[in-house]
Amino acid sequence: MTAAAEVKSRFVGRRRARRRSARSLRAWYRNPSLMAGIVVVGALVLVAVLAPVLAPYDPIKQNLPDALQDPSSAHWLGTDRYGRDVLSRLIWGARVDLRIGFLAVLIPFVIGSVIGALAGYFGGWFDAVVMRVVDVFFAFPFLVMVITLVFVLGAGETSIYLAIAIVSWVAYAKIVRGEVLVVKEHDYVTGARLGGLSDRRILFRHITPNVLSQAVIYAMSDIVMDILAIVTLGYLGIGVTPPTAEWGSMILDGQEFLTTHWLQATIPGLVVVVTSLGVSWLGDGLADLMSPEQRR
Amino acid sequence: MLHRLIFVPARLVQAVPVVLGVTLIVFFMSHLLPGDPALAILGDKATPESVSALRDQLGLDQPIWQQYVHFLSNIVHGDLGTSFTYQRPVTDVVLQAVPVTLTLVALALLLNIVISVPLAGLAAMKPNRTPDLIVRALNMVGQGMPQFWVGIMLILLFGVRLRWFPVGGYGDTPLQHLYYLLLPALTLAIALSPTTIRSLRSSTITVLGSDYVATARSKGLSGLPLFRRHVLRNSGIPTVSIVGVHLANLVGGSIVIEKVFAIPGLGSVMLDAIYARDFPSIQAVTLVVALLVTVASILTDVLYVVMDPRVSLGTGVRV
């Protein structure tokens, strides 16, 4: 139970608290954005997990005699220049792009939130330094920084995680710091302090649970940004190493055949759009659920 | 109006630590390279002589803070090393590319206004009705589209199918430059417009509910004159700062879009350098881009103050 709910149940009475939680549960499935997001993202995750079963062909094995075929009953979306089945590569690509997209937010989320919480709670020189560092990082365009860092760290998945972590922790730090600044003036924090609780306990048991919702909501849009960055790296040929099936590198391969086989570059992009939409819906739904007072 | 710009020097002083921090990060990037930076920078072209020459030039035998001071003084003197791909000073290569990228970004900002203002106005006139819902749906889709893919789709439609625009390149005359830059700028504008429209829509809804708009309406103003003279002027102000925040992403996007359309700007320099493992050029572009973003954010603040007479300048000076 969160600190706010603890206080509430003590003062408002347990039965009302129970009714409140039942009401928020009902809101859970009445929330169209959330449902749409769960359906779309759930379906994509399912496709990614079941890739070995669902994909009709090997996504990597070349079959040159069948190169650049139009969609047919054997290859629903045609084949690429090496004769690889486009549908199979899309399905396997979901594994790579979704995995990196979702995992990449974890490290910056944790690091940024902790640094932001400490800066907001203790203030002083630490806060001043953190905020200056945040300003510096915001001077670099996200993509430019990620591209440079992936180059410096060497191609491959680990570099992508590291590069995204180095760049995007600042946003979480800024968001959580701002929230902590507001919440630490609340009465229940003053109460906890008067009660003699340690700073660590107040910060991590009482304040942090109440400020993380904004960071979680931001994380959903961050996932979209990360997926777009990974796809862009793949398109630039500096991301996940070929011949691994990845949506961005599929668009790059397809661009050469734009005049004759326009589907090759179009379809992977559409899949990215659908993925982003699903995650955005999920994020909007979570935002409604977690902070109903901010609803449009 | 001009006396309101008294805050500019203070804002410039504020930018100094940011600029120093930017140089510090760019400096440390060379130390993230695996192994000996000199060897990593020179790559395949390394000979024992060239490595020791570069070690001397970078001062790699000195303590790290001296190396940084050295790096800073090189920047101040406009010396960013020599590009291996172009066999020329990096500074020349980068300075040649900057105007191209800036033109692209400026054109994108212009197109962004052309796209966003009517759509945001349309959506704000009747919130939650069909036009508004369509605009909001477009926004959501727009935000999830990879920019380079939008570029490719525009090439497919306007370049390959309709043949209205070239599929890439930069042309030879200034007029041709603009023509060649139109599709890439449109791509960037499409990427920026969801943020702009969302901000402009919500501030327009607020302004439309205000007393002075009611007064203007009671004077008999309506439609476009009302929108242009009373609504847009006020609802545009918060949007300026939102767009300012996203300028960094606009510049970042232009790096990738230049590759899609083969435009000889900063992005092409950077990506060519990456493919050739030409580290000094990569470092230089990263530095210049960050400095451009810093300057742009100062300009945004200036524009904000010029547009909105109510902004408190925070300098203690009453104006």
Side-chain angles (χ1 to χ4, degrees):
Chain A
M1 199 186 283
T2 64
E6 233 169 65
V7 173
K8 222 170 259 163
S9 68
R10 214 164 287 155
F11 288 97
V12 180
R14 285 183 191 283
R15 197 187 300 165
R16 269 182 73 183
R18 211 176 298 139
R19 213 184 301 151
R20 180 179 287 267
S21 79
R23 207 183 303 147
S24 70
L25 254 182
R26 242 177 294 142
W28 186 83
Y29 60 78
R30 277 204 191 149
N31 182 329
S33 301
L34 191 69
M35 287 318 287
I38 289 175
V39 168
V40 172
V41 175
L44 284 162
V45 169
L46 207 64
V47 166
V49 171
L50 295 178
V53 186
L54 289 177
Y57 296 90
D58 186 317
I60 292 168
K61 201 169 153 232
Q62 302 190 358
N63 183 15
L64 291 174
D66 286 346
L68 288 174
Q69 284 190 2
D70 284 329
S72 64
S73 56
H75 299 281
W76 289 2
L77 297 175
T79 59
D80 70 1
R81 70 164 108 183
Y82 299 113
R84 299 174 297 201
D85 181 53
V86 171
L87 179 64
S88 304
R89 284 182 69 73
L90 274 181
I91 292 173
W92 280 89
R95 282 197 152 192
V96 177
D97 287 290
L98 289 182
R99 181 182 63 230
I100 307 181
F102 277 84
L103 289 184
V105 294
L106 293 180
I107 311 172
F109 180 92
V110 173
I111 295 177
S113 302
V114 169
I115 293 178
L118 291 173
Y121 186 73
F122 289 110
W125 65 268
F126 181 70
D127 184 38
V129 170
V130 168
M131 288 325 284
R132 289 295 83 71
V133 173
V134 167
D135 284 346
V136 170
F137 272 87
F138 273 125
F140 291 95
F142 176 69
L143 269 176
V144 171
M145 193 77 158
V146 169
I147 291 171
T148 311
L149 284 171
V150 168
F151 169 79
V152 168
L153 297 166
E157 212 173 305
T158 321
S159 298
I160 300 179
Y161 289 126
L162 267 176
I164 289 178
I166 293 175
V167 183
S168 52
W169 68 273
V170 283
Y172 294 96
K174 198 169 182 174
I175 291 169
V176 171
R177 172 186 176 270
E179 294 284 308
V180 169
L181 282 182
V182 174
V183 168
K184 81 171 179 184
E185 305 298 332
H186 283 187
D187 288 345
Y188 73 88
V189 175
T190 318
R193 204 173 289 140
L194 289 175
L197 295 188
S198 69
D199 279 335
R200 184 162 35 152
R201 197 180 159 90
I202 295 174
L203 184 54
F204 290 108
R205 291 286 298 278
H206 295 270
I207 294 183
T208 309
N210 286 302
V211 299
L212 276 188
S213 62
Q214 286 306 316
V216 170
I217 291 165
Y218 175 77
M220 301 312 285
S221 62
D222 203 25
I223 291 175
V224 175
M225 246 167 67
D226 289 347
I227 292 179
L228 293 180
I230 296 154
V231 174
T232 306
L233 287 172
Y235 171 74
L236 296 175
I238 50 179
V240 181
T241 31
T244 309
E246 191 275 330
W247 296 337
S249 57
M250 290 180 71
I251 299 177
L252 174 67
D253 289 341
Q255 192 184 4
E256 266 183 64
F257 306 101
L258 210 52
T259 42
T260 50
H261 298 79
W262 59 275
L263 272 179
Q264 303 246 333
T266 309
I267 302 270
L270 285 177
V271 174
V272 176
V273 175
V274 171
T275 311
S276 311
L277 265 182
V279 179
S280 302
W281 279 327
L282 207 56
D284 279 6
L286 277 180
D288 279 354
L289 209 60
M290 293 168 98
S291 50
E293 71 276 8
Q294 284 183 5
R295 215 175 299 182
R296 267 185 296 228
Chain B
M1 182 69 82
L2 270 181
H3 63 282
R4 291 181 53 77
L5 296 182
I6 201 158
F7 81 103
V8 171
R11 181 67 182 77
L12 286 176
V13 172
Q14 267 177 17
V16 170
V18 174
V19 169
L20 277 179
V22 163
T23 59
L24 201 60
I25 288 181
V26 173
F27 168 72
F28 270 111
M29 277 177 175
S30 62
H31 289 266
L32 280 177
L33 285 167
D36 183 347
L39 201 62
I41 288 172
L42 288 172
D44 307 337
K45 288 127 193 147
T47 60
E49 296 82 48
S50 64
V51 169
S52 83
L54 187 63
R55 284 190 69 87
D56 270 358
Q57 194 200 328
L58 297 174
L60 287 180
D61 303 320
Q62 297 163 354
I64 195 135
W65 67 268
Q66 274 186 10
Q67 292 181 33
Y68 174 63
V69 171
H70 190 74
F71 177 75
L72 266 189
S73 91
N74 276 348
I75 294 177
V76 172
H77 292 104
D79 176 12
L80 297 169
T82 308
S83 155
F84 310 114
T85 20
Y86 298 92
Q87 290 297 331
R88 280 197 296 151
V90 171
T91 319
D92 288 3
V93 176
V94 169
L95 285 184
Q96 208 170 13
V98 166
V100 180
T101 301
L102 285 185
T103 318
L104 175 60
V105 168
L107 200 57
L109 281 173
L110 194 72
L111 287 177
N112 178 43
I113 296 174
V114 175
I115 297 175
S116 302
V117 170
L119 286 181
L122 197 69
M125 287 294 177
K126 284 180 181 150
N128 291 322
R129 304 287 283 276
T130 318
D132 183 33
L133 294 180
I134 293 175
V135 169
R136 274 159 62 183
L138 282 178
N139 261 359
M140 209 164 198
V141 175
Q143 224 161 21
M145 294 193 293
Q147 289 186 24
F148 66 89
W149 180 76
V150 175
I152 295 173
M153 291 301 107
L154 291 178
I155 291 178
L156 180 62
L157 181 62
F158 294 110
V160 176
R161 289 288 149 90
L162 298 170
R163 296 182 185 282
W164 290 354
F165 289 97
V167 295
Y170 187 52
D172 300 314
T173 61
L175 212 61
Q176 272 188 348
H177 293 338
L178 281 184
Y179 177 54
Y180 275 75
L181 285 180
L182 211 57
L183 271 196
L186 181 62
T187 313
L188 290 171
I190 289 175
L192 186 61
S193 60
T195 323
T196 320
I197 292 175
R198 187 170 316 121
S199 159
L200 202 54
R201 171 187 171 272
S202 74
S203 57
T204 305
I205 290 175
T206 314
V207 170
L208 281 174
S210 66
D211 290 344
Y212 62 81
V213 169
T215 312
R217 281 214 167 104
S218 67
K219 286 197 310 191
L221 269 181
S222 65
L224 218 52
L226 172 76
F227 187 72
R228 209 184 56 228
R229 291 190 42 199
H230 295 270
V231 180
L232 192 58
R233 278 206 163 179
N234 292 293
S235 65
I237 292 168
T239 309
V240 165
S241 64
I242 297 278
V243 170
V245 171
H246 283 81
L247 267 182
N249 291 332
L250 185 62
V251 175
S254 73
I255 297 286
V256 181
I257 291 310
E258 285 174 13
K259 144 100 176 155
V260 178
F261 288 90
I263 295 159
L266 283 174
S268 296
V269 172
M270 180 168 181
L271 291 167
D272 287 348
I274 280 183
Y275 300 135
R277 304 198 63 78
D278 176 359
F279 186 71
S281 303
I282 300 171
Q283 207 175 22
V285 173
T286 314
L287 178 70
V288 168
V289 162
L291 294 182
L292 284 179
V293 170
T294 310
V295 172
S297 83
I298 296 175
L299 288 180
T300 313
D301 287 357
V302 174
L303 186 62
Y304 194 82
V305 170
V306 171
M307 278 181 76
D308 190 351
R310 292 163 304 183
V311 171
S312 132
L313 300 175
T315 50
V317 184
R318 279 182 64 108
V319 283

